Amino acid sequence: MSEEVSKRAEEEAEIPDLEGQSDDSSDEGEASGDTEMDFLRSLFSRTLGLSPGEKVLDELTLDGVARYILSDKCKNIICMVGAGISTSAGIPDFRSPGTGLYANLQKYNLPYPEAIFQIDYFKKHPEPFFALARELYPGQFKPTVCHYFMKMLKDKGLLSRCYSQNIDTLERVAGLEGEDLIEAHGTFHTSHCVSFLCRKEYSMDWMKDQIFSEDIPKCDSCGSLVKPDIVFFGENLPARFFTSMKMDFPRCDLLIILGTSLQVQPFASLVSRVSNSCPRLLINMEKTGQSEFGMGLFAFGGGMDFDSDKAYRDVAHLSSCDDGCMALAELLGWKAELEEMVKREHALIDSKDDKKKDKEANQSSRRTGAEPVKADKTE
């Protein structure tokens, strides 16, 4: 890098200094500044390999993204999702002021809100986590429009993978399977003994029984705590996150980022893993993931750039995730299909819940000797 900088400096030294001839011309001064900035951008981008990629979208709007999806150029879509995709299901996100999970943990008497997901704190004080788990346990909520939009992308052969920060398993309930998903922050699907000498595995049903019996789950082999396989602060992400990331992102044609503040690493850094030409769509209540000042100034780097005059691939659609996905589905001509999918799948979930209530009621009746009853299905 130093040789190129020196060479360019020598070339610039041979160019006559014209600034003294235009002191009273502000327009020429601004033009000179623009030229110098362009030179710096060019120099840094060539030297560091950070030059902008090809502009793929015909316009930086949701319409432009929809036209690209419908073209034959968009074949591999990756979705990056956070807690914002599940708020309409009744599950709070983490950081929203007043309504977020971290703002409503006072009853657990934590030293600080994030402690409830700190592995060292959990090993000493597991009670707050399991009390919260009873409130938010998977199986009590229905997938949202956003979850079913991703299922539709899968059905149409467009979804390469969904990278999720969520532990609510709603992606699975909506129809995404193990190969479709990277659960970056783990899952309730399995649990393990926390002892390195044991590590016995337990099923989701076993953990659910423990949590709702209000017992602290303990290993029946060694007596240590048993923890769902969700990633706490202080733990490593699943190995599959890193191996899949290296394979998936270089071949991504469109990155859709949904309902995440992009504040937690290393997940947030995934936005920079796609190629420089890959369009990136953010559907969120506010803009996030934008470039740091220094990198944004020179119009390169992995951060999102929605507003500068150098923006060429990033689109921000500010709305709820459900509204944004429905708006995109409408532009794609998929709205009626998506609405029907949500209605059908929610009805199936309700039907399963009714059958479960009937079964539980009849089991209770047999124990007490009462007449069998059916769960009330009235609206």
Side-chain angles (χ1 to χ4, degrees):
M1 176 174 176
S2 59
E3 290 183 8
E4 185 170 353
V5 172
S6 299
K7 182 178 179 182
R8 296 292 299 183
E10 290 173 4
E11 292 174 356
E12 291 293 297
E14 296 174 3
I15 299 175
D17 182 2
L18 301 179
E19 289 185 6
Q21 301 175 23
S22 57
D23 286 342
D24 55 353
S25 173
S26 60
D27 290 342
E28 290 184 16
E30 290 175 5
S32 174
D34 290 342
T35 301
E36 291 173 4
M37 184 59 73
D38 288 340
F39 163 69
L40 287 172
R41 286 195 187 103
S42 176
L43 175 61
F44 273 86
S45 61
R46 284 200 317 274
T47 308
L48 301 178
L50 295 170
S51 53
E54 174 191 359
K55 184 176 181 180
V56 173
L57 301 179
D58 56 24
E59 64 177 17
L60 299 180
T61 64
L62 201 63
D63 295 78
V65 173
R67 285 191 291 272
Y68 176 59
I69 292 174
L70 293 173
S71 75
D72 60 0
K73 297 178 182 177
C74 186
K75 299 178 193 250
N76 295 294
I77 297 175
I78 292 177
C79 293
M80 285 175 60
V81 304
I85 74 167
S86 297
T87 53
S88 65
I91 303 173
D93 65 8
F94 287 89
R95 292 178 172 80
S96 291
T99 60
L101 185 63
Y102 288 152
N104 291 279
L105 295 176
Q106 298 89 343
K107 59 187 173 184
Y108 299 119
N109 297 314
L110 300 166
Y112 48 92
E114 291 84 355
I116 202 164
F117 295 117
Q118 286 278 2
I119 188 61
D120 291 337
Y121 186 85
F122 170 80
K123 288 178 178 179
K124 295 176 183 176
H125 308 284
E127 296 84 4
F129 170 77
F130 286 114
L132 178 66
R134 275 192 294 278
E135 293 183 37
L136 302 179
Y137 198 81
Q140 304 179 77
F141 306 95
K142 297 175 188 174
T144 67
V145 168
C146 185
H147 290 96
Y148 289 117
F149 179 78
M150 292 190 292
K151 173 61 163 59
M152 185 172 288
L153 289 177
K154 174 191 172 179
D155 292 345
K156 294 181 181 299
L158 293 170
L159 183 69
S160 174
R161 202 99 66 185
C162 170
Y163 282 71
S164 177
Q165 292 175 285
N166 299 335
I167 58 175
D168 54 35
T169 72
L170 289 182
E171 296 92 354
R172 290 177 181 265
V173 178
L176 299 189
E177 300 172 349
E179 201 52 38
D180 307 316
L181 270 173
I182 301 295
E183 292 162 314
H185 293 170
T187 178
F188 270 94
H189 212 59
T190 54
S191 300
H192 282 84
C193 172
V194 300
S195 170
F196 288 111
L197 299 176
C198 180
R199 299 298 293 162
K200 182 175 179 180
E201 181 174 316
Y202 293 85
S203 70
M204 187 173 180
D205 288 338
W206 181 91
M207 178 56 73
K208 182 177 181 179
D209 289 342
Q210 297 295 306
I211 288 175
F212 283 96
S213 69
E214 300 193 16
D215 292 331
I216 299 300
K218 296 288 183 70
C219 178
D220 55 24
S221 292
C222 72
S224 297
L225 285 170
V226 177
K227 181 182 79 67
D229 290 342
I230 63 174
V231 179
F232 278 45
F233 294 116
E235 293 188 301
N236 294 324
L237 270 63
R240 186 165 169 258
F241 170 85
F242 298 100
T243 55
S244 298
M245 170 187 75
K246 293 176 182 176
M247 176 179 66
D248 292 342
F249 280 79
R251 57 193 288 266
C252 177
D253 297 320
L254 173 65
L255 180 63
I256 303 179
I257 303 147
L258 298 150
T260 172
S261 62
L262 293 177
Q263 292 185 19
V264 178
Q265 297 292 354
F267 188 88
S269 67
L270 292 179
V271 299
S272 66
R273 289 276 176 174
V274 294
S275 72
N276 285 351
S277 297
C278 178
R280 301 180 294 191
L281 168 65
L282 173 72
I283 299 178
N284 202 42
M285 295 300 290
E286 59 186 9
K287 293 177 183 177
T288 188
Q290 290 161 284
S291 300
E292 295 297 326
F293 172 74
M295 299 301 269
L297 178 67
F298 293 110
F300 52 64
M304 312 284 278
D305 178 10
F306 304 112
D307 302 314
S308 84
D309 59 353
K310 300 296 178 181
Y312 70 98
R313 61 165 171 164
D314 295 329
V315 177
H317 182 80
L318 302 185
S319 72
S320 71
C321 293
D322 285 355
D323 288 346
C325 286
M326 191 60 77
L328 181 54
E330 183 171 16
L331 292 169
L332 291 165
W334 303 348
K335 183 179 179 180
E337 185 180 353
L338 179 56
E339 289 175 334
E340 176 58 31
M341 176 185 283
V342 173
K343 182 179 178 181
R344 180 181 68 249
E345 295 299 321
H346 280 187
L348 284 173
I349 292 171
D350 288 339
S351 175
K352 289 178 182 177
D353 287 344
D354 286 340
K355 289 178 181 177
K356 183 178 179 181
K357 288 175 184 176
D358 286 346
K359 182 178 179 181
E360 290 173 349
N362 287 329
Q363 288 175 341
S364 177
S365 297
R366 282 196 293 270
R367 285 194 298 269
T368 61
E371 288 292 322
V373 295
K374 288 189 176 183
D376 183 10
K377 297 179 180 61
T378 58
E379 293 297 329

